[in-house]
Amino acid sequence: MSAHDEEPDTLEEEHPLKEHLALIWSRQAGASFPKLWVGHLEGDERGVFANADIAPGEVVLQVPRACLVTLDVALASDVGRLIEAHAPDTSEESYLAAFLLQEREREDSIWKPYLDVLPRAFPHLPLFFDARELSLLKGSSTLREVARWKELMLTRYAELAASVPGFTRFTPDAFLWAQHVLISRTFGLTVEGRLIRCFVPVADMLNHRASPQVVWGNTEDGSFVLRAREPVSAGEELHISYGIKPGYRFLLSYGFVPEDNPDDTLVLYLGVPEDAHHAARKRELLSLPTPASRRRFEVPLHYGHSSTVAMFSFLRVAFANTEELARLTAEAREEQGLGPVSPLSARTEARVLQHLGDLCEARLAGFDTTLEEDERLLREADLSRNERNCVLLRRGEKRLLHAYAGLARTIQATGGARDERT
């Protein structure tokens, strides 16, 4: 359900035919969508449109459970049974990815009409960027996220290739493709009290909007249902929400970045400075196994958010003085764990803020452009889609870095941290 799916290089006339066949197949399998049609937007982007007025509360799409690709479907398949026999602890994502690969190689697959309209490449996802495009993200934590995602997916592949007979007929690149189909196009439904992920024909062609006109759910028998939450006029494109996510998640999963995303977050990797007093004890209290260990924090610009509280708690332990560390250690033993840590003293809080400000400013210095230069590029430059997404992403990251650096410096400048305790 990517907002910007990329089709293969082929004749333009072939696209409507393939989608038409997929729609016919969906209807024959019992899906109902009498007021919807699939059309093309700019380039090869697709959208779902209303061909008649739709009233609030009206069901605009219903897809029976038999037409959904779920874990149960994957488990019952040939490749699913092989995986279960040889690698039973495999993740749901890997089962579904393997099922896609198996069905894609079968000319007589009952899922062929659906599989044929899936994107064959993802050139707008950072995992598949070339070196020049990746260079546009220099300084961004997204580069680390891309490497993390790729390592995770290739580890999954390696485990299956080593354990499951015949799995090596699928290449690592093919497995990455299937994983990204999964990431960008699955829905979550609650059926019989459990959350399931599934592919839903037709529904996965809808694009994203923060305030969607339609929302999805399911019936008691497990059918997927798309229902209007407001009036939709004939000819209007319908949208769903892909959820509340930071910009880097939109880019990694769907290949686009919202222009102004209020849900952006800042990713920071924090550790205990090697020259900190009692560094070993602090690492033990924070469950860091080695001096080089870092913990990942993803924080919004919201001081009271649980992630932000966790980040400041971590830093307060990292910069605690001897007396404060002893107190925290005793509390952790008594409570069987370390909970949120409130400010320990004005001096320790000053050290925390100094470190946070320095860290943010160092991150800003790692970019090749300033925030102001990115703003100008977005206003004035003729950017490709991937270029614009990269600039949007790093602009959002810089805004948060400036905000946290500014917060740290402002609080320090107020003189609120003049306690001379050691």
Side-chain angles (χ1 to χ4, degrees), residues 227 242 319:
R227 191 182 301 273
Y242 294 0
F319 289 93

Side-chain angles (χ1 to χ4, degrees), residues 26 29-32 62-68 222-224:
S26 300
S32 173
Q62 184 158 344
V63 183
R65 190 166 181 175
C67 206
L68 307 179
S223 294
F224 177 94

Side-chain angles (χ1 to χ4, degrees), residues 150-178:
K150 187 170 185 177
E151 181 182 11
L152 171 63
M153 293 177 194
L154 291 179
T155 297
R156 289 174 178 171
Y157 172 82
E159 291 170 351
L160 291 171
S163 304
V164 180
F167 199 85
T168 53
R169 73 183 188 275
F170 307 127
T171 66
D173 285 344
F175 190 76
L176 288 177
W177 169 85

